[in-house]
């Protein structure tokens, strides 16, 4: 093999290591480079189209970078069906649903995950991001102002109490 033919073979998927591409793609996704992650994760997925990890993260990156909701949700849903015991797949699918405006579906999937995996900090965090937040009590202060935070906690407790009292 000469140098010219060696350079021509670098685009061949048989020489790619799908796990390396996958790890690099996930790292790019974590570092907020979804467009670059799509390329890496797509190469990994092309090497093994039956790997649910490749599907789920490719779907997430497509949702973040290209906003192709149907394709992204289809990939993530397939990953959940292939491996329903993986918490991260539910988190990815929930994020795709929430980003596409399907908050109720996102909450349903995250609730399904709570039933399967119990109370997990990642699930609580994902669910709180998806839930609609109430308006700040004192709108002339910012949401992060200590009065709004404390009064919001008090309102939340009072509403929880009222709901229990009406049952």
């Amino acid at each position: 093999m000469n140098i010219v033919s060696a350079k021509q073979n670098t685009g061949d998927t048989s020489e790619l290591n799908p796990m390396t591409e996958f790890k690099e793609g996930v790292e790019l996704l974590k570092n907020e480079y979804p467009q670059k992650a799509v390329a890496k994760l797509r190469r990994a997925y092309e090497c093994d189209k039956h790997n649910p990890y490749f599907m789920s993260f490719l779907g997430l990156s497509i949702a973040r970078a290209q906003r192709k909701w149907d394709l992204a949700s289809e990939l993530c849903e397939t990953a959940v069906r292939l491996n329903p015991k993986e918490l991260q797949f539910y988190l990815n699918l929930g994020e795709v649903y929430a980003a596409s405006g399907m908050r109720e579906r996102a909450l349903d999937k995250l609730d399904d995950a709570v039933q399967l995996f119990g109370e997990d900090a990642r699930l609580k965090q994902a669910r709180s991001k998806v839930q609609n937040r109430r308006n700040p009590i004192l709108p002339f202060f910012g949401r992060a102002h200590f009065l709004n935070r404390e009064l919001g906690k008090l309102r939340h407790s009072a509403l929880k109490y009222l709901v229990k009292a009406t049952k």
Side-chain angles (χ1 to χ4, degrees), residues 6-154:
K7 285 183 181 178
Q8 290 172 348
N9 277 344
T10 57
D12 186 15
T13 57
S14 64
E15 292 182 15
L16 287 177
N17 182 348
M19 280 311 291
T20 302
E21 294 291 314
F22 173 72
K23 288 177 184 176
E24 289 174 3
V26 170
E27 194 61 34
L28 287 167
L29 208 51
K30 283 182 186 175
N31 293 325
E32 303 295 325
Y33 296 106
Q35 193 62 45
K36 292 179 182 179
V38 168
K40 294 277 187 187
L41 293 168
R42 190 177 307 263
R43 283 196 291 269
Y45 173 72
E46 291 298 324
C47 291
D48 183 2
K49 292 187 179 191
H50 301 289
N51 187 321
Y53 291 90
F54 297 170
M55 284 180 198
S56 182
F57 282 94
L58 176 60
L60 180 61
S61 65
I62 287 172
R64 286 185 185 176
Q66 300 170 349
R67 305 213 180 286
K68 294 181 179 176
W69 310 123
D70 292 338
L71 176 60
S73 61
E74 182 181 328
L75 285 165
C76 290
E77 288 166 359
T78 303
V80 167
R81 279 194 304 275
L82 288 173
N83 187 356
K85 302 282 189 214
E86 179 59 50
L87 172 64
Q88 188 63 47
F89 297 166
Y90 288 90
L91 294 170
N92 291 352
L93 181 57
E95 183 178 333
V96 169
Y97 281 157
S100 67
M102 295 188 281
R103 289 182 177 277
E104 288 302 316
R105 281 181 92 174
L107 289 171
D108 288 344
K109 279 298 171 185
L110 293 172
D111 288 342
D112 291 348
V114 168
Q115 294 297 318
L116 282 170
F117 303 105
E119 293 293 327
D120 184 273
R122 295 179 294 170
L123 283 171
K124 284 182 180 179
Q125 182 181 14
R127 201 168 192 302
S128 70
K129 283 182 182 178
V130 174
Q131 278 183 319
N132 288 332
R133 297 173 75 181
R134 293 185 181 92
N135 290 329
I137 293 176
L138 304 172
F140 45 87
F141 290 131
R143 181 178 292 280
H145 192 274
F146 80 96
L147 283 175
N148 273 328
R149 285 197 322 263
E150 295 305 315
L151 290 171
K153 290 176 188 175
L154 183 64

Side-chain angles (χ1 to χ4, degrees), residues 156-166:
H156 180 73
S157 298
L159 289 174
K160 266 176 114 172
Y161 178 77
L162 287 173
V163 168
K164 284 182 183 177
T166 60

